[in-house]
C-alpha cells in the first residue's frame, strides 16, 4: 500500500526504514551513507572489537573543520596581528574562548585517537588480507600511516598560528631539525620559512598549509581510506568470522553469475554473495550502523565540549625571539621527539653528529619506514586477521608494544621529569625559581 | 541478397574477432591505436602525433609545476641586514651585554671586544647567560681560565663555558663568534653576522 507520506517522513524515512527493502534503498539513495554497504556484519558493530576509534577520529576531524572554518573568519595571519587576534578570540569575541578551546581540545584528542586507532589495527592484525578477493588492507594501512603523519603536521602547523612563545620556538626547533637533513635540509628550511628568518613569510606559509593543503590531503586520503574499508569487505573481524563459518561447514549462500568477470574473480560459476552468512550474521546498515554512528558522534562532541570547559586553552606571551621560555616544552605528543633530539648527539672521532639528524630525522624516519613496510613482511597466517593479540603474532605485537611503550616513556619523562634547562628533576624535587630574563 | 551478404560478412568478422585471444586483441589494438608492437616498429603518422600530443601535455604540466614550485622560493628578502652597527665602544661596560633584537652577546675586556651568538648550535634556541656564584676554573682548548659566567640553553639543556665551548647536552659545536670591525666614519662597532670567526678573535680598540 503506497501510503501518503508527509514531507517530514519523506526526508527521514531513509533513517528509519520500515522494511529490509527500504533499508537497502536508503544506503543507495543517501549521499551521506554511500560509503556503507546495505548490510553490515553484526560483529563489526561491536564496541569491544574496534572501540570505534577511527570513527571518533573522523568525527573529531569534522569538529575541527567546522570550528576551524569559523576561526578563519576571526583570525588574521599577520605577524603584527596574529597574537592580538587570538587574544581577541579569548577575551572579546562572544564564545571565542569556547571555539578556540574546542578546536584545540579537538586537535589533541584527534592526535591521541588516530594514534590509538593505529595501535588497535596493529594489535588485531587488521592490516592483513583475509580470504576474500580484491582485498588490499596493507595499502589501507599505509594510507593510515600517512593520515597519522598529516594529523601531526596539522597540529604542528596549527599551534604556530597564535604567534606566541610556544609557536615561535616550536618553529625554530622544527625547521632547524628539517635543516639537519642531509643535502636538501637547508633548502627545505628556506622554503618552509620563506626566507632565512622567521617572519611574515613563515606565518602565511604555515597558515595556508594548515587551512588548505593539509586538510585537503586528509579529506582525500580519508575518503579513500573509507572506500577501501568497504572494498576490503568491512572490518577484519568479519574475515575471522567467515573463516569460522567455513569451519562450521555451513553452506554459504550462493548466487548464480553469468558474467565472465564473475567467474574470473570467484572460484566457480557459483559465487558467494558475501563473506559471512547474511541471514545469520548481518543487519541492515540503516538504521543499525547509522544509529551507532550518531551515538559515537554525539558522545565525541559531548566529550570534547566538556573537556573544553574543564581545560582552558593557554596562550603564552607574544613571540619574543630574544627570550626562549625556560623550560621550553613542545606539546605532549612531540615531547618524545624533544627527548630524542636531546639525547642523541654523538661524537665520532673529532666529529660531532647533531641530535637533530639522529633523533629528529633518522629515528622517526626509520619508525615510519618500518610501519609502512611491516604489512609486506608479516608472514603470519590468515587465521590471525581480526583477532586481538593473536598468539601467532605474539612476537610482532611485543615489538610494536615496546616501541609504543618507548614513546610513552619518553613522553612521560618529557612531561614530568624535565625542568628548567631540560634538567632532570624527580617528582619530589622542586624546580628552582629561574630569573625570567638575563 | 546484398543485405544478406553484408550481414554474413559482419557475422564472419565478428566470429573472427571472438576467436582472437586477449593477447592478440591487445596486440591488434596497440597496432591500431598507438602503432606499437612487433609489426609496427616503424612509427606511423598516427602514433607520431599521439606521442607528440602526450609529450606536449606532459611538458606543459611540468612547466606549470615548475612555475608553481619556483614561486615559493623568494627572490627578494626583506630581512634585517646581517651586518650592522651596535654603538661606540665606550657604550659598552666591562663584561657582557645582550643585544635582544639581534640575539647577540657583545663582550668587552679592557680594550678588546668580541661578539658571541646567543643562538644555540643544537636547534637554535636563545641561550641564557648564567652568572656563576663563584668563579670556576675551566680547562678548554688547551688552556685554563677562570670563568665568571656560562651559557645554558632552555630547550634541550645544552651548556657552554664562558668562552662559548660546549661541554654538556646535545650541542654539537661551540657558540658562533662573529667578526667585529670599527666603522671608519663614526667609530661605531660593526658586527657582521655573516662572517664567523674563531674563538680567539678579539678586536682591540
Amino acid at each position: 500500500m503506497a501510503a501518503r507520506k508527509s514531507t517530514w517522513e519523506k526526508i527521514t524515512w531513509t533513517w528509519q526504514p520500515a522494511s529490509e527493502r527500504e533499508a537497502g534503498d536508503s544506503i543507495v539513495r543517501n549521499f551521506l551513507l554511500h560509503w556503507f554497504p546495505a548490510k553490515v556484519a553484526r560483529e563489526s558493530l561491536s564496541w569491544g572489537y574496534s572501540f570505534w576509534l577511527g570513527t571518533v577520529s573522523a568525527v573529531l576531524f569534522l569538529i575541527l573543520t567546522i570550528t576551524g572554518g569559523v576561526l578563519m573568519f576571526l583570525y588574521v595571519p599577520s605577524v603584527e596581528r596574529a597574537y592580538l587576534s587570538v587574544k581577541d578570540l579569548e577575551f572579546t569575541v562572544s564564545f571565542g574562548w569556547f571555539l578556540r578551546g574546542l578546536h584545540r581540545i579537538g586537535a589533541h584528542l584527534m592526535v591521541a585517537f588516530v594514534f590509538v586507532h593505529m595501535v588497535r589495527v596493529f594489535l588485531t592484525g587488521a592490516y592483513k588480507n583475509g580470504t576474500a578477493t580484491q582485498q588490499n588492507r596493507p595499502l589501507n594501512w599505509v594510507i593510515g600511516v600517512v593520515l597519522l603523519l598529516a594529523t601531526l603536521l596539522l597540529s604542528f602547523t596549527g599551534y604556530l598560528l597564535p604567534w606566541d612563545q610556544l609557536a615561535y620556538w616550536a618553529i625554530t626547533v622544527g625547521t632547524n631539525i628539517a635543516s639537519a637533513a642531509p643535502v636538501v635540509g637547508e633548502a627545505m628550511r628556506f622554503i618552509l620559512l620563506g626566507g632565512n628568518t622567521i617572519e611574515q613569510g613563515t606565518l602565511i606559509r604555515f597558515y595556508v598549509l594548515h587551512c588548505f593543503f593539509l586538510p585537503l590531503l586528509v579529506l582525500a586520503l580519508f575518503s579513500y581510506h573509507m572506500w577501501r574499508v568497504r572494498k576490503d569487505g568491512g572490518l577484519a573481524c568479519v574475515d575471522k568470522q567467515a573463516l569460522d563459518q567455513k569451519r562450521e561447514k555451513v553452506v554459504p549462500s550462493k548466487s548464480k553469475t553469468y558474467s565472465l568477470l564473475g567467474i574470473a574473480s570467484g572460484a566457480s560459476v557459483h559465487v558467494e554473495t558475501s563473506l559471512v552468512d547474511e541471514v545469520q550474521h548481518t543487519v541492515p546498515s540503516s538504521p543499525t550502523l547509522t544509529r551507532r554512528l550518531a551515538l559515537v558522534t554525539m558522545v565525541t562532541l559531548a566529550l570534547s565540549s566538556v573537556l573544553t570547559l574543564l581545560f582552558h586553552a593557554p596562550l603564552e606571551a607574544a613571540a619574543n625571539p630574544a627570550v626562549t621560555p625556560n623550560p621550553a616544552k613542545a606539546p605532549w605528543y612531540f615531547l618524545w621527539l624533544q627527548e630524542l633530539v636531546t639525547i642523541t648527539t654523538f661524537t665520532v672521532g673529532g666529529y660531532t653528529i647533531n641530535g637533530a639528524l639522529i633523533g629528529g630525522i633518522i629515528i622517526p624516519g626509520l619508525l615510519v619506514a618500518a610501519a609502512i613496510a611491516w604489512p609486506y613482511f608479516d608472514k603470519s597466517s590468515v587465521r590471525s586477521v581480526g583477532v586481538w593479540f593473536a598468539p601467532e603474532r605474539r612476537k610482532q605485537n611485543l615489538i610494536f608494544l615496546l616501541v609504543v611503550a618507548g614513546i610513552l616513556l619518553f613522553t612521560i619523562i618529557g612531561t614530568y621529569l624535565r625542568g628548567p634547562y631540560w634538567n632532570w628533576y624527580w617528582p619530589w624535587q622542586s624546580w628552582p625559581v629561574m630569573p625570567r630574563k638575563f | 541478397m546484398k543485405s544478406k551478404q553484408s550481414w554474413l560478412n559482419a557475422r564472419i568478422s565478428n566470429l573472427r574477432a571472438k576467436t582472437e585471444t586477449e593477447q592478440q586483441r591487445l596486440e591488434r589494438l596497440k597496432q591500431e591505436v598507438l602503432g606499437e608492437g612487433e609489426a609496427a616498429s616503424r612509427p606511423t603518422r598516427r602514433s607520431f602525433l599521439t606521442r607528440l600530443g602526450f609529450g606536449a601535455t606532459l611538458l606543459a604540466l611540468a612547466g606549470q609545476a615548475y612555475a608553481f614550485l619556483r614561486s615559493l622560493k623568494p627572490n627578494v628578502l626583506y630581512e634585517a641586514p646581517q651586518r650592522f652597527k651596535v654603538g661606540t665602544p665606550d657604550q659598552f661596560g666591562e663584561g657582557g651585554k645582550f643585544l635582544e633584537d639581534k640575539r647577540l652577546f657583545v663582550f668587552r675586556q679592557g680594550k678588546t671586544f668580541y661578539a658571541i651568538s646567543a643562538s644555540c648550535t643544537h636547534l637554535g634556541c636563545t641561550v641564557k647567560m648564567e652568572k656563576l656564584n663563584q668563579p670556576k676554573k675551566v680547562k678548554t682548548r688547551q688552556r685554563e681560565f677562570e670563568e665568571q659566567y656560562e651559557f645554558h640553553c632552555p630547550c634541550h639543556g645544552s651548556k657552554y663555558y664562558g668562552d662559548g665551548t660546549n661541554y654538556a647536552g646535545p650541542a654539537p659545536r661551540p657558540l658562533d663568534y662573529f667578526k667585529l670591525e670599527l666603522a671608519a666614519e663614526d667609530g661605531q662597532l660593526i658586527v657582521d653576522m655573516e662572517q664567523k670567526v674563531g674563538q680567539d678573535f678579539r678586536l682591540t680598540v
Side-chain angles (χ1 to χ4, degrees):
Chain A
M1 193 191 93
R4 287 173 72 106
K5 287 187 167 172
S6 69
T7 311
W8 175 247
E9 280 169 336
K10 274 183 190 162
I11 296 168
T12 59
W13 75 267
T14 58
W15 304 93
Q16 298 163 336
S19 67
E20 289 262 305
R21 193 206 145 116
E22 273 195 4
D25 232 24
S26 64
I27 301 295
V28 178
R29 288 195 183 192
N30 192 311
F31 171 72
L32 287 175
L33 302 181
H34 75 283
W35 273 314
F36 300 149
K39 288 192 142 194
V40 60
R42 211 178 272 131
E43 179 95 4
S44 63
L45 293 174
S46 110
W47 298 111
Y49 171 71
S50 71
F51 300 106
W52 291 71
L53 296 164
T55 312
V56 173
S57 313
V59 173
L60 287 167
F61 183 69
L62 185 74
I63 293 175
L64 287 165
T65 308
I66 294 169
T67 49
V70 181
L71 287 172
M72 280 173 82
F73 284 122
L74 301 162
Y75 168 80
V76 189
S78 110
V79 171
E80 286 83 25
R81 294 177 60 190
Y83 183 76
L84 293 175
S85 65
V86 174
K87 222 172 181 179
D88 272 358
L89 266 171
E90 240 1 82
F91 300 111
T92 61
V93 176
S94 301
F95 300 109
W97 61 273
F98 184 76
L99 261 172
R100 176 169 173 258
L102 187 58
H103 195 74
R104 179 178 159 277
I105 288 286
H108 281 286
L109 288 179
M110 189 170 157
V111 170
F113 272 93
V114 171
F115 182 71
V116 180
H117 172 56
M118 180 196 194
V119 173
R120 191 286 289 174
V121 170
F122 193 93
L123 293 180
T124 53
Y127 56 79
K128 289 162 61 60
N129 285 335
T131 51
T133 52
Q134 312 264 319
Q135 286 186 320
N136 197 349
R137 289 229 178 85
L139 175 64
N140 219 14
W141 164 266
V142 173
I143 303 287
V145 172
V146 179
L147 277 168
L148 172 65
L149 294 179
T151 307
L152 289 174
L153 280 178
L154 270 167
S155 285
F156 180 65
T157 49
Y159 64 73
L160 294 173
L161 301 184
W163 217 241
D164 60 351
Q165 282 285 62
L166 173 71
Y168 190 89
W169 294 103
I171 219 171
T172 305
V173 170
T175 54
N176 272 325
I177 288 177
S179 75
V183 191
V184 294
E186 286 297 333
M188 214 151 70
R189 179 173 193 267
F190 189 75
I191 291 290
L192 276 172
L193 293 187
N196 295 309
T197 51
I198 300 168
E199 274 176 34
Q200 179 60 50
T202 315
L203 179 57
I204 199 76
R205 274 169 197 228
F206 279 81
Y207 177 72
V208 174
L209 280 175
H210 183 76
C211 300
F212 182 71
F213 283 102
L214 290 171
L216 201 70
L217 178 76
V218 168
L219 204 65
L221 289 182
F222 163 68
S223 312
Y224 185 65
H225 202 60
M226 288 300 294
W227 184 77
R228 274 244 64 89
V229 170
R230 171 88 189 273
K231 291 287 136 187
D232 293 339
L235 304 192
C237 60
V238 178
D239 286 81
K240 159 88 169 42
Q241 209 181 11
L243 277 182
D244 291 347
Q245 190 177 289
K246 275 182 187 145
R247 204 181 254 172
E248 286 165 22
K249 301 239 189 315
V250 174
V251 184
S253 65
K254 288 173 180 176
S255 69
K256 234 175 192 167
T257 175
Y258 297 98
S259 79
L260 195 64
L261 277 175
I263 295 168
S265 60
S268 72
V269 180
H270 297 287
V271 178
E272 291 173 29
T273 49
S274 68
L275 281 175
V276 290
D277 180 12
E278 283 213 347
V279 183
Q280 268 192 52
H281 298 300
T282 67
V283 283
S285 289
S286 180
T288 328
L289 177 59
T290 50
R291 200 183 287 150
R292 293 219 172 168
L293 187 67
L295 185 61
V296 172
T297 307
M298 285 195 306
V299 170
T300 309
L301 183 59
L303 177 77
S304 27
S305 306
V306 169
L307 286 177
T308 306
L309 295 178
L310 290 179
F311 299 100
H312 196 75
L315 182 64
E316 294 191 13
N320 180 357
V323 181
T324 310
N326 196 4
K329 284 195 182 187
W332 59 270
Y333 43 86
F334 281 138
L335 276 177
W336 66 281
L337 274 177
Q338 191 170 5
E339 184 67 24
L340 261 184
V341 295
T342 303
I343 60 178
T344 51
T345 296
F346 292 105
T347 304
V348 185
Y351 189 70
T352 304
I353 304 167
N354 196 332
L357 179 63
I358 299 172
I361 292 174
I362 295 179
I363 293 177
L366 284 178
L367 284 180
V368 171
I372 286 173
W374 201 283
Y376 299 99
F377 289 98
D378 180 334
K379 293 284 177 272
S380 58
S381 79
V382 74
R383 280 263 147 225
S384 64
V385 174
V387 185
W388 272 97
F389 302 113
E392 202 188 330
R393 303 181 68 254
R394 186 171 290 142
K395 230 181 244 172
Q396 301 196 32
N397 286 340
L398 201 67
I399 294 172
F400 182 78
L401 282 175
L402 278 177
V403 174
V404 171
I407 290 174
L408 290 181
L409 181 72
F410 277 7
T411 309
I412 290 167
I413 289 175
T415 312
Y416 297 109
L417 304 178
R418 293 295 192 178
Y421 293 129
W422 206 247
N423 284 333
W424 187 285
Y425 290 93
W426 295 107
W428 54 88
Q429 291 175 315
S430 60
W431 293 359
V433 181
M434 307 303 289
R436 291 198 69 79
K437 245 184 184 182
F438 166 66
Chain B
M1 193 64 197
K2 185 118 198 247
S3 70
K4 208 154 211 181
Q5 186 65 44
S6 71
W7 178 82
L8 255 179
N9 280 343
R11 187 88 181 113
I12 287 167
S13 74
N14 201 8
L15 273 172
R16 194 174 286 153
K18 269 195 179 162
T19 53
E20 259 180 345
T21 64
E22 278 297 301
Q23 190 62 46
Q24 286 168 332
R25 202 169 108 80
L26 198 70
E27 198 60 35
R28 184 169 58 79
L29 279 175
K30 266 187 182 171
Q31 283 175 21
E32 278 178 15
V33 179
L34 297 173
E36 281 177 5
E38 291 162 40
S41 54
R42 207 158 44 90
T44 59
R45 179 169 58 188
R46 175 174 295 206
S47 74
F48 172 74
L49 287 175
T50 310
R51 281 178 193 184
L52 197 68
F54 274 116
T57 311
L58 278 180
L59 213 64
L61 284 177
Q64 294 280 13
Y66 175 75
F68 290 152
L69 292 176
R70 179 61 187 80
S71 72
L72 291 177
K73 193 184 171 189
N75 293 333
V76 183
L77 291 175
Y78 303 96
E79 291 172 353
Q82 292 291 292
R83 190 171 180 272
F84 44 84
K85 291 177 180 172
V86 292
T88 51
D90 53 327
Q91 287 173 321
F92 291 84
E94 192 71 14
K97 183 177 179 186
F98 181 49
L99 307 178
E100 255 196 36
D101 51 338
K102 305 291 183 192
R103 296 217 284 154
L104 190 74
F105 294 103
V106 176
F107 284 90
R108 176 180 188 160
Q109 283 175 345
K111 287 188 166 179
T112 60
F113 288 84
Y114 58 99
I116 302 182
S117 162
S119 173
C120 179
T121 54
H122 176 229
L123 287 172
C125 293
T126 304
V127 296
K128 282 179 194 176
M129 189 167 152
E130 290 285 313
K131 285 233 187 304
L132 299 176
N133 290 333
Q134 39 190 310
K136 187 158 107 178
K137 276 227 160 82
V138 176
K139 195 168 178 249
T140 59
R141 297 186 288 138
Q142 281 88 46
R143 65 189 179 84
E144 221 169 278
F145 74 105
E146 202 169 73
E147 63 173 10
Q148 317 278 338
Y149 53 86
E150 288 190 343
F151 302 104
H152 295 178
C153 178
C155 281
H156 306 97
S158 295
K159 291 189 167 85
Y160 305 84
Y161 291 133
D163 69 340
T165 307
N166 53 316
Y167 74 91
R173 57 189 165 83
L175 291 172
D176 289 329
Y177 273 58
F178 295 125
K179 194 175 180 189
L180 278 177
E181 294 162 90
L182 267 187
E185 63 274 15
D186 54 5
Q188 285 201 49
L189 281 171
I190 297 176
V191 185
D192 188 348
M193 288 180 78
E194 268 169 14
Q195 282 202 58
K196 288 174 190 169
V197 290
Q199 275 172 282
D200 295 317
F201 175 89
R202 296 289 183 275
L203 175 75
T204 312
V205 176

